[in-house]
PDB file of all heavy atoms in Angstrom:
ATOM      1  N   HIS M 350     -22.771  17.361  -3.284  1.00 98.00           N
ATOM      2  CA  HIS M 350     -21.944  17.646  -4.435  1.00 98.00           C
ATOM      3  C   HIS M 350     -22.738  18.478  -5.443  1.00 98.00           C
ATOM      4  O   HIS M 350     -23.862  18.207  -5.555  1.00 98.00           O
ATOM      5  CB  HIS M 350     -21.510  16.341  -5.035  1.00 98.00           C
ATOM      6  CG  HIS M 350     -20.142  16.479  -5.908  1.00 98.00           C
ATOM      7  ND1 HIS M 350     -20.237  17.055  -7.092  1.00 98.00           N
ATOM      8  CD2 HIS M 350     -18.944  16.173  -5.632  1.00 98.00           C
ATOM      9  CE1 HIS M 350     -18.977  17.102  -7.563  1.00 98.00           C
ATOM     10  NE2 HIS M 350     -18.175  16.559  -6.700  1.00 98.00           N
ATOM     11  N   LEU M 351     -22.064  19.384  -6.044  1.00 97.00           N
ATOM     12  CA  LEU M 351     -22.765  20.319  -7.035  1.00 97.00           C
ATOM     13  C   LEU M 351     -23.049  19.569  -8.316  1.00 97.00           C
ATOM     14  O   LEU M 351     -23.823  20.021  -9.102  1.00 97.00           O
ATOM     15  CB  LEU M 351     -21.834  21.550  -7.213  1.00 97.00           C
ATOM     16  CG  LEU M 351     -21.832  22.471  -6.061  1.00 97.00           C
ATOM     17  CD1 LEU M 351     -20.665  23.375  -6.097  1.00 97.00           C
ATOM     18  CD2 LEU M 351     -23.157  23.249  -5.993  1.00 97.00           C
ATOM     19  N   TYR M 352     -22.396  18.398  -8.579  1.00 97.00           N
ATOM     20  CA  TYR M 352     -22.805  17.558  -9.704  1.00 97.00           C
ATOM     21  C   TYR M 352     -23.342  16.212  -9.036  1.00 97.00           C
ATOM     22  O   TYR M 352     -22.521  15.218  -9.163  1.00 97.00           O
ATOM     23  CB  TYR M 352     -21.639  17.265 -10.628  1.00 97.00           C
ATOM     24  CG  TYR M 352     -21.101  18.554 -11.204  1.00 97.00           C
ATOM     25  CD1 TYR M 352     -19.774  19.032 -10.894  1.00 97.00           C
ATOM     26  CD2 TYR M 352     -21.867  19.319 -12.021  1.00 97.00           C
ATOM     27  CE1 TYR M 352     -19.257  20.169 -11.422  1.00 97.00           C
ATOM     28  CE2 TYR M 352     -21.294  20.542 -12.613  1.00 97.00           C
ATOM     29  CZ  TYR M 352     -19.978  20.986 -12.334  1.00 97.00           C
ATOM     30  OH  TYR M 352     -19.514  22.108 -12.793  1.00 97.00           O
ATOM     31  N   PRO M 353     -24.451  16.140  -8.449  1.00 97.00           N
ATOM     32  CA  PRO M 353     -24.847  14.958  -7.646  1.00 97.00           C
ATOM     33  C   PRO M 353     -24.973  13.689  -8.529  1.00 97.00           C
ATOM     34  O   PRO M 353     -24.766  12.677  -7.923  1.00 97.00           O
ATOM     35  CB  PRO M 353     -26.129  15.428  -7.068  1.00 97.00           C
ATOM     36  CG  PRO M 353     -26.650  16.500  -7.967  1.00 97.00           C
ATOM     37  CD  PRO M 353     -25.510  17.177  -8.523  1.00 97.00           C
ATOM     38  N   HIS M 354     -25.141  13.852  -9.798  1.00 96.00           N
ATOM     39  CA  HIS M 354     -25.371  12.602 -10.562  1.00 96.00           C
ATOM     40  C   HIS M 354     -24.285  12.403 -11.504  1.00 96.00           C
ATOM     41  O   HIS M 354     -24.499  11.583 -12.544  1.00 96.00           O
ATOM     42  CB  HIS M 354     -26.744  12.682 -11.233  1.00 96.00           C
ATOM     43  CG  HIS M 354     -27.940  12.984 -10.378  1.00 96.00           C
ATOM     44  ND1 HIS M 354     -28.288  12.161  -9.365  1.00 96.00           N
ATOM     45  CD2 HIS M 354     -28.767  14.039 -10.287  1.00 96.00           C
ATOM     46  CE1 HIS M 354     -29.331  12.711  -8.683  1.00 96.00           C
ATOM     47  NE2 HIS M 354     -29.646  13.828  -9.267  1.00 96.00           N
ATOM     48  N   GLU M 355     -23.148  12.968 -11.310  1.00 96.00           N
ATOM     49  CA  GLU M 355     -21.994  12.825 -12.289  1.00 96.00           C
ATOM     50  C   GLU M 355     -20.777  12.433 -11.505  1.00 96.00           C
ATOM     51  O   GLU M 355     -20.570  12.907 -10.408  1.00 96.00           O
ATOM     52  CB  GLU M 355     -21.727  14.049 -13.036  1.00 96.00           C
ATOM     53  CG  GLU M 355     -22.863  14.542 -13.943  1.00 96.00           C
ATOM     54  CD  GLU M 355     -22.457  15.779 -14.721  1.00 96.00           C
ATOM     55  OE1 GLU M 355     -21.395  15.767 -15.350  1.00 96.00           O
ATOM     56  OE2 GLU M 355     -23.219  16.822 -14.624  1.00 96.00           O
ATOM     57  N   LYS M 356     -19.982  11.523 -12.130  1.00 96.00           N
ATOM     58  CA  LYS M 356     -18.586  11.231 -11.576  1.00 96.00           C
ATOM     59  C   LYS M 356     -17.696  12.365 -12.148  1.00 96.00           C
ATOM     60  O   LYS M 356     -17.408  12.353 -13.440  1.00 96.00           O
ATOM     61  CB  LYS M 356     -18.234   9.860 -11.982  1.00 96.00           C
ATOM     62  CG  LYS M 356     -16.806   9.524 -11.460  1.00 96.00           C
ATOM     63  CD  LYS M 356     -16.391   8.105 -11.889  1.00 96.00           C
ATOM     64  CE  LYS M 356     -15.028   7.799 -11.356  1.00 96.00           C
ATOM     65  NZ  LYS M 356     -14.638   6.451 -11.767  1.00 96.00           N
ATOM     66  N   VAL M 357     -17.269  13.166 -11.300  1.00 96.00           N
ATOM     67  CA  VAL M 357     -16.307  14.318 -11.758  1.00 96.00           C
ATOM     68  C   VAL M 357     -14.991  14.066 -11.129  1.00 96.00           C
ATOM     69  O   VAL M 357     -14.652  14.645 -10.069  1.00 96.00           O
ATOM     70  CB  VAL M 357     -16.926  15.683 -11.391  1.00 96.00           C
ATOM     71  CG1 VAL M 357     -16.042  16.780 -11.923  1.00 96.00           C
ATOM     72  CG2 VAL M 357     -18.364  15.838 -11.903  1.00 96.00           C
ATOM     73  N   ASP M 358     -14.173  13.223 -11.714  1.00 96.00           N
ATOM     74  CA  ASP M 358     -12.910  12.836 -11.208  1.00 96.00           C
ATOM     75  C   ASP M 358     -11.803  13.827 -11.716  1.00 96.00           C
ATOM     76  O   ASP M 358     -12.111  14.763 -12.417  1.00 96.00           O
ATOM     77  CB  ASP M 358     -12.501  11.451 -11.362  1.00 96.00           C
ATOM     78  CG  ASP M 358     -12.381  11.052 -12.907  1.00 96.00           C
ATOM     79  OD1 ASP M 358     -12.170  12.051 -13.779  1.00 96.00           O
ATOM     80  OD2 ASP M 358     -12.352   9.902 -13.246  1.00 96.00           O
ATOM     81  N   HIS M 359     -10.564  13.613 -11.360  1.00 96.00           N
ATOM     82  CA  HIS M 359      -9.517  14.510 -11.689  1.00 96.00           C
ATOM     83  C   HIS M 359      -9.265  14.665 -13.146  1.00 96.00           C
ATOM     84  O   HIS M 359      -8.531  15.553 -13.631  1.00 96.00           O
ATOM     85  CB  HIS M 359      -8.248  14.191 -10.900  1.00 96.00           C
ATOM     86  CG  HIS M 359      -7.570  12.884 -11.398  1.00 96.00           C
ATOM     87  ND1 HIS M 359      -8.137  11.696 -11.216  1.00 96.00           N
ATOM     88  CD2 HIS M 359      -6.484  12.640 -12.192  1.00 96.00           C
ATOM     89  CE1 HIS M 359      -7.409  10.682 -11.714  1.00 96.00           C
ATOM     90  NE2 HIS M 359      -6.384  11.330 -12.326  1.00 96.00           N
ATOM     91  N   ASN M 360      -9.744  13.687 -13.986  1.00 94.00           N
ATOM     92  CA  ASN M 360      -9.599  13.710 -15.440  1.00 94.00           C
ATOM     93  C   ASN M 360     -10.676  14.537 -16.146  1.00 94.00           C
ATOM     94  O   ASN M 360     -10.660  14.845 -17.325  1.00 94.00           O
ATOM     95  CB  ASN M 360      -9.542  12.323 -16.030  1.00 94.00           C
ATOM     96  CG  ASN M 360      -8.351  11.534 -15.550  1.00 94.00           C
ATOM     97  OD1 ASN M 360      -7.265  12.020 -15.560  1.00 94.00           O
ATOM     98  ND2 ASN M 360      -8.610  10.354 -15.106  1.00 94.00           N
ATOM     99  N   ASP M 361     -11.668  14.868 -15.357  1.00 95.00           N
ATOM    100  CA  ASP M 361     -12.838  15.735 -15.888  1.00 95.00           C
ATOM    101  C   ASP M 361     -12.540  17.185 -15.991  1.00 95.00           C
ATOM    102  O   ASP M 361     -11.943  17.803 -15.065  1.00 95.00           O
ATOM    103  CB  ASP M 361     -14.089  15.424 -14.967  1.00 95.00           C
ATOM    104  CG  ASP M 361     -15.349  15.796 -15.718  1.00 95.00           C
ATOM    105  OD1 ASP M 361     -15.576  16.987 -15.853  1.00 95.00           O
ATOM    106  OD2 ASP M 361     -16.158  14.904 -16.054  1.00 95.00           O
ATOM    107  N   GLN M 362     -13.030  17.866 -17.087  1.00 93.00           N
ATOM    108  CA  GLN M 362     -12.879  19.304 -17.173  1.00 93.00           C
ATOM    109  C   GLN M 362     -13.449  20.018 -15.964  1.00 93.00           C
ATOM    110  O   GLN M 362     -13.089  21.120 -15.665  1.00 93.00           O
ATOM    111  CB  GLN M 362     -13.562  19.811 -18.452  1.00 93.00           C
ATOM    112  CG  GLN M 362     -12.894  19.392 -19.783  1.00 93.00           C
ATOM    113  CD  GLN M 362     -13.732  19.701 -20.900  1.00 93.00           C
ATOM    114  OE1 GLN M 362     -14.926  19.255 -21.088  1.00 93.00           O
ATOM    115  NE2 GLN M 362     -13.311  20.627 -21.774  1.00 93.00           N
ATOM    116  N   LEU M 363     -14.487  19.448 -15.302  1.00 95.00           N
ATOM    117  CA  LEU M 363     -15.196  20.095 -14.213  1.00 95.00           C
ATOM    118  C   LEU M 363     -14.717  19.794 -12.861  1.00 95.00           C
ATOM    119  O   LEU M 363     -15.308  20.168 -11.815  1.00 95.00           O
ATOM    120  CB  LEU M 363     -16.672  19.914 -14.376  1.00 95.00           C
ATOM    121  CG  LEU M 363     -17.283  20.529 -15.621  1.00 95.00           C
ATOM    122  CD1 LEU M 363     -18.799  20.169 -15.673  1.00 95.00           C
ATOM    123  CD2 LEU M 363     -17.018  21.932 -15.777  1.00 95.00           C
ATOM    124  N   HIS M 364     -13.562  19.036 -12.792  1.00 97.00           N
ATOM    125  CA  HIS M 364     -13.078  18.752 -11.442  1.00 97.00           C
ATOM    126  C   HIS M 364     -12.697  20.051 -10.768  1.00 97.00           C
ATOM    127  O   HIS M 364     -12.345  21.017 -11.387  1.00 97.00           O
ATOM    128  CB  HIS M 364     -11.836  17.840 -11.535  1.00 97.00           C
ATOM    129  CG  HIS M 364     -11.357  17.299 -10.260  1.00 97.00           C
ATOM    130  ND1 HIS M 364     -10.248  17.801  -9.620  1.00 97.00           N
ATOM    131  CD2 HIS M 364     -11.881  16.251  -9.464  1.00 97.00           C
ATOM    132  CE1 HIS M 364     -10.014  17.154  -8.412  1.00 97.00           C
ATOM    133  NE2 HIS M 364     -11.052  16.197  -8.355  1.00 97.00           N
ATOM    134  N   TRP M 365     -12.835  20.081  -9.463  1.00 98.00           N
ATOM    135  CA  TRP M 365     -12.730  21.319  -8.738  1.00 98.00           C
ATOM    136  C   TRP M 365     -11.378  21.979  -8.807  1.00 98.00           C
ATOM    137  O   TRP M 365     -11.274  23.191  -8.659  1.00 98.00           O
ATOM    138  CB  TRP M 365     -13.104  21.145  -7.235  1.00 98.00           C
ATOM    139  CG  TRP M 365     -12.022  20.306  -6.396  1.00 98.00           C
ATOM    140  CD1 TRP M 365     -11.941  18.980  -6.287  1.00 98.00           C
ATOM    141  CD2 TRP M 365     -10.975  20.834  -5.662  1.00 98.00           C
ATOM    142  NE1 TRP M 365     -10.935  18.634  -5.393  1.00 98.00           N
ATOM    143  CE2 TRP M 365     -10.247  19.817  -5.079  1.00 98.00           C
ATOM    144  CE3 TRP M 365     -10.519  22.143  -5.363  1.00 98.00           C
ATOM    145  CZ2 TRP M 365      -9.133  19.974  -4.294  1.00 98.00           C
ATOM    146  CZ3 TRP M 365      -9.489  22.381  -4.665  1.00 98.00           C
ATOM    147  CH2 TRP M 365      -8.740  21.286  -4.037  1.00 98.00           C
ATOM    148  N   THR M 366     -10.424  21.152  -9.190  1.00 98.00           N
ATOM    149  CA  THR M 366      -8.969  21.739  -9.325  1.00 98.00           C
ATOM    150  C   THR M 366      -8.733  22.290 -10.628  1.00 98.00           C
ATOM    151  O   THR M 366      -7.671  22.788 -10.843  1.00 98.00           O
ATOM    152  CB  THR M 366      -7.916  20.657  -9.026  1.00 98.00           C
ATOM    153  OG1 THR M 366      -8.114  19.546  -9.929  1.00 98.00           O
ATOM    154  CG2 THR M 366      -8.090  20.126  -7.610  1.00 98.00           C
ATOM    155  N   GLY M 367      -9.715  22.118 -11.634  1.00 96.00           N
ATOM    156  CA  GLY M 367      -9.457  22.423 -12.941  1.00 96.00           C
ATOM    157  C   GLY M 367      -9.759  23.936 -13.324  1.00 96.00           C
ATOM    158  O   GLY M 367     -10.235  24.667 -12.550  1.00 96.00           O
ATOM    159  N   ARG M 368      -9.444  24.292 -14.523  1.00 96.00           N
ATOM    160  CA  ARG M 368      -9.542  25.680 -14.971  1.00 96.00           C
ATOM    161  C   ARG M 368     -10.947  26.244 -14.819  1.00 96.00           C
ATOM    162  O   ARG M 368     -11.110  27.424 -14.543  1.00 96.00           O
ATOM    163  CB  ARG M 368      -9.078  25.751 -16.464  1.00 96.00           C
ATOM    164  CG  ARG M 368      -9.049  27.100 -17.017  1.00 96.00           C
ATOM    165  CD  ARG M 368      -8.259  27.170 -18.422  1.00 96.00           C
ATOM    166  NE  ARG M 368      -6.871  26.655 -18.176  1.00 96.00           N
ATOM    167  CZ  ARG M 368      -5.952  27.488 -17.823  1.00 96.00           C
ATOM    168  NH1 ARG M 368      -6.154  28.808 -17.658  1.00 96.00           N
ATOM    169  NH2 ARG M 368      -4.717  27.005 -17.630  1.00 96.00           N
ATOM    170  N   TYR M 369     -11.930  25.362 -15.143  1.00 96.00           N
ATOM    171  CA  TYR M 369     -13.284  25.924 -15.227  1.00 96.00           C
ATOM    172  C   TYR M 369     -13.989  26.023 -13.800  1.00 96.00           C
ATOM    173  O   TYR M 369     -15.109  26.420 -13.656  1.00 96.00           O
ATOM    174  CB  TYR M 369     -14.219  25.065 -16.097  1.00 96.00           C
ATOM    175  CG  TYR M 369     -13.727  25.049 -17.547  1.00 96.00           C
ATOM    176  CD1 TYR M 369     -13.123  23.860 -18.072  1.00 96.00           C
ATOM    177  CD2 TYR M 369     -13.772  26.216 -18.317  1.00 96.00           C
ATOM    178  CE1 TYR M 369     -12.703  23.848 -19.371  1.00 96.00           C
ATOM    179  CE2 TYR M 369     -13.277  26.204 -19.593  1.00 96.00           C
ATOM    180  CZ  TYR M 369     -12.779  25.012 -20.128  1.00 96.00           C
ATOM    181  OH  TYR M 369     -12.287  25.060 -21.416  1.00 96.00           O
ATOM    182  N   GLN M 370     -13.137  25.756 -12.759  1.00 97.00           N
ATOM    183  CA  GLN M 370     -13.585  26.021 -11.379  1.00 97.00           C
ATOM    184  C   GLN M 370     -12.744  26.993 -10.683  1.00 97.00           C
ATOM    185  O   GLN M 370     -12.595  27.036  -9.474  1.00 97.00           O
ATOM    186  CB  GLN M 370     -13.643  24.684 -10.566  1.00 97.00           C
ATOM    187  CG  GLN M 370     -14.374  23.532 -11.256  1.00 97.00           C
ATOM    188  CD  GLN M 370     -15.942  23.836 -11.347  1.00 97.00           C
ATOM    189  OE1 GLN M 370     -16.354  24.951 -11.064  1.00 97.00           O
ATOM    190  NE2 GLN M 370     -16.720  22.865 -11.889  1.00 97.00           N
TER     191      GLN M 370
END
Side-chain angles (χ1 to χ4, degrees):
H350 202 285
L351 289 161
Y352 303 114
H354 307 300
E355 297 183 53
K356 181 180 180 180
V357 185
D358 63 18
H359 68 287
N360 295 313
D361 196 290
Q362 287 172 299
L363 296 182
H364 190 255
W365 74 269
T366 60
R368 183 167 301 273
Y369 298 112
Q370 308 295 5

